[in-house]
Amino acid sequence: GAVVSQHPSWVICKSGTSVKIECRSLDFQATTMFWYRQFPKQSLMLMATSNEGSKATYEQGVEKDKFLINHASLTLSTLTVTSAHPEDSSFYICSASNNLLRDTEAFFGQGTRLTVV
Amino acid sequence: KQEVTQIPAALSVPEGENLVLNCSFTDSAIYNLQWFRQDPGKGLTSLLLIQSSQREQTSGRLNASLDKSSGRSTLYIAASQPGDSATYLCATPGAAGNKLTFGGGTRVLVKP
């Protein structure tokens, strides 16, 4: 299957600072990337969908000014958690696709464990 | 709105036993259904994708079936091994075909 690389795999930051997480599709062009958040022992919660070259579409309840998403190229999307607080500590996972998910598989990155202290 | 449920939430079996994992969905008008494996602290690994026109898909010891009329998919893992211990998630795209709806997952423990 296709390879999606997420970096870093874990990060610890101080409260009030910003953290950037990268998601790269290594062997295909990702027209759409998805960002999820996962709490312990729970399933994935979609935060936003981004299409290359356009603004991300955020799910209800997700603060777009707090979770900045940039999808500037067909192989790279970034999620920046701005002014992070301890409640933002979570596991963040990206997914990439080169077509609508009704027509193709979804491929996921390895996830990023964010701890805000 | 599509809802996806996985029961049980956790399952423990002795090594060698066959695993049967259930996934149910409320809207039978699905495009496809995908099964994933997630190891602790890791991302998701795609296991099988079943298109709406298919009844089953097989890959090695894994077999997934799909019954749209009853809103169910089942993942069978034959002759389970301790390495099969993980959380298994099913997901299906929504009506617009551009977002996945996930089940809550089944946490599997295979005891040696």
Side-chain angles (χ1 to χ4, degrees):
Chain A
V3 180
V4 176
S5 177
Q6 194 172 333
H7 179 81
S9 56
W10 61 270
V11 58
I12 301 173
C13 72
K14 290 185 176 179
S15 188
T17 61
S18 295
V19 173
K20 181 184 285 187
I21 302 170
E22 291 187 348
C23 181
R24 294 180 184 273
S25 57
L26 298 186
D27 52 0
F28 69 102
Q29 294 187 322
T31 51
T32 307
M33 287 192 174
F34 306 86
W35 287 96
Y36 296 85
R37 183 172 179 174
Q38 187 177 33
F39 292 102
K41 297 189 177 180
Q42 292 189 28
S43 192
L44 280 69
M45 180 190 79
L46 180 65
M47 298 173 67
T49 303
S50 73
N51 293 295
E52 184 264 338
S54 60
K55 289 184 179 179
T57 302
Y58 289 81
E59 295 298 300
Q60 194 172 11
V62 178
E63 298 175 60
K64 58 181 68 176
D65 294 330
K66 177 144 190 81
F67 299 99
L68 300 179
I69 292 172
N70 183 280
H71 191 169
S73 78
L74 285 171
T75 59
L76 175 64
S77 176
T78 59
L79 167 67
T80 301
V81 183
T82 63
S83 185
H85 290 286
E87 56 266 30
D88 299 323
S89 298
S90 192
F91 193 60
Y92 294 87
I93 309 177
C94 71
S95 172
S97 171
N98 61 358
N99 206 336
L100 289 177
L101 293 180
R102 70 184 184 198
D103 300 319
T104 189
E105 285 179 74
F107 297 99
F108 286 77
Q110 309 96 311
T112 298
R113 170 73 58 196
L114 170 64
T115 303
V116 185
V117 297
Chain B
K1 180 188 169 186
Q2 178 75 274
E3 292 181 8
V4 181
T5 304
Q6 291 182 250
I7 295 174
L11 186 60
S12 178
V13 298
E15 182 177 3
E17 204 167 282
N18 295 332
L19 280 164
V20 180
L21 305 178
N22 300 304
C23 173
S24 60
F25 43 93
T26 54
D27 185 351
S28 61
I30 61 171
Y31 295 103
N32 59 57
L33 189 135
Q34 198 166 354
W35 282 94
F36 297 91
R37 169 184 171 139
Q38 185 178 30
D39 292 292
K42 304 292 184 183
L44 274 63
T45 300
S46 178
L47 297 175
L48 289 167
L49 172 74
I50 313 178
Q51 297 292 353
S52 63
S53 58
Q54 298 175 310
R55 300 275 301 179
E56 65 178 313
Q57 271 280 25
T58 298
S59 175
R61 293 184 296 113
L62 276 58
N63 174 279
S65 66
L66 177 64
D67 184 344
K68 287 196 304 178
S69 61
S70 65
R72 293 197 303 192
S73 177
T74 303
L75 178 67
Y76 302 90
I77 303 178
S80 62
Q81 305 167 359
D84 295 327
S85 298
T87 296
Y88 292 83
L89 296 136
C90 64
T92 185
N98 62 349
K99 290 194 285 191
L100 288 177
T101 299
F102 280 88
T106 296
R107 210 160 50 252
V108 170
L109 175 64
V110 180
K111 297 178 181 177

